[in-house]
Amino acid sequence: MPWTALQRLPRVPDLVLAAAAALAFTSCSHDPAEREYMSALHGEETGMGRKEQLARLDRAIALQPRRSWYRETHAIYSIDQRQFDRAAADLDTAIQLADRPYLHFLRAMVRCERGAYEASLPDFDHAIKEQPDNAQFYRGRSLALSRVGRFDDALADADRLVAMAPMQAEGHYARGVALSGLARWPEAVDAFDESIRLRPDLVYAWRERAAAFAMLGDSVRAQSDHQEVAKKSEESVAAISEDPFRY
């Protein structure tokens, strides 16, 4: 059953709520900016393509530059295009217009995509302080902490995420990454096993498990995982299956 445009867009309820608020705020039929915005959203169902969707959002922003949800959607579509500089600029403006914890999380993820892991941490910290029950925030911060070598802190975040959302494969993956950083290889393999069991499409989990097997001297299983990575990489897999920092 196909998702609606509003369901597919964010993978987080915040943007859906923002879109609903936009509809309540103004009538699309009398608001040119909102017509462009809604047209971009409905492009999810019509096969419009990201380039045209971004163009429509550009027009919406030009007409109503202070509507933060336009900037947020533009940022998300820019991330899909790997235009991280544009996404970062959109999020800076969105935060100035209507600060929300999720915007800080998303900006932190974009900073990680640009390799600025240390710089991402204040945004993750802010998001978690303001909304400590949002599990996805801990995933991002755990991965960023591992990238800067703070593996004990990364493991604490991953453990909390797994406790909050035990069926979320990404949490077990983050836990495996932290355990690998601590050279606790058997435990890391167990964590990656669970991640792969829950989400066998996560290419990055197979890749990290292969590295853990190699560190344990198990070349047979390491090679098997490398072959699975190569196989999946040849298939048409979603970006979020390839990239652990995708929102």
Side-chain angles (χ1 to χ4, degrees), residues 141-197:
R141 190 171 71 174
S142 177
L143 293 175
L145 287 166
S146 284
R147 291 297 179 98
V148 299
R150 292 171 55 183
F151 299 112
D152 287 318
D153 292 334
L155 183 59
D157 271 356
D159 283 343
R160 179 159 186 180
L161 172 55
V162 168
M164 294 169 72
M167 299 305 293
Q168 187 179 110
E170 294 86 350
H172 295 280
Y173 167 78
R175 191 167 185 275
V177 171
L179 288 165
S180 294
L182 293 168
R184 291 163 58 177
W185 303 112
E187 293 171 85
V189 166
D190 289 343
F192 294 133
D193 284 346
E194 185 64 8
S195 180
I196 290 168
R197 184 186 72 80

Side-chain angles (χ1 to χ4, degrees), residues 117-151:
Y117 304 110
E118 191 72 50
S120 75
L121 294 174
D123 270 325
F124 283 128
D125 291 344
H126 177 89
I128 288 170
K129 180 180 178 182
E130 295 298 314
Q131 206 173 82
D133 294 330
N134 194 319
Q136 67 182 326
F137 296 171
Y138 295 94
R139 170 174 67 97
R141 190 171 71 174
S142 177
L143 293 175
L145 287 166
S146 284
R147 291 297 179 98
V148 299
R150 292 171 55 183
F151 299 112

Side-chain angles (χ1 to χ4, degrees), residues 174-226:
R175 191 167 185 275
V177 171
L179 288 165
S180 294
L182 293 168
R184 291 163 58 177
W185 303 112
E187 293 171 85
V189 166
D190 289 343
F192 294 133
D193 284 346
E194 185 64 8
S195 180
I196 290 168
R197 184 186 72 80
L198 292 167
R199 287 280 305 277
D201 61 301
L202 294 183
V203 176
Y204 53 77
W206 291 89
R207 185 179 293 114
E208 291 290 345
R209 192 176 70 173
F213 278 139
M215 294 302 298
L216 286 169
D218 191 337
S219 60
V220 173
R221 284 193 284 184
Q223 181 61 26
S224 177
D225 276 1
H226 281 307

Side-chain angles (χ1 to χ4, degrees), residues 4-20:
T4 67
L6 291 181
Q7 286 174 315
R8 286 189 59 192
L9 177 61
R11 287 186 286 272
V12 280
D14 284 350
L15 191 51
V16 176
L17 292 174

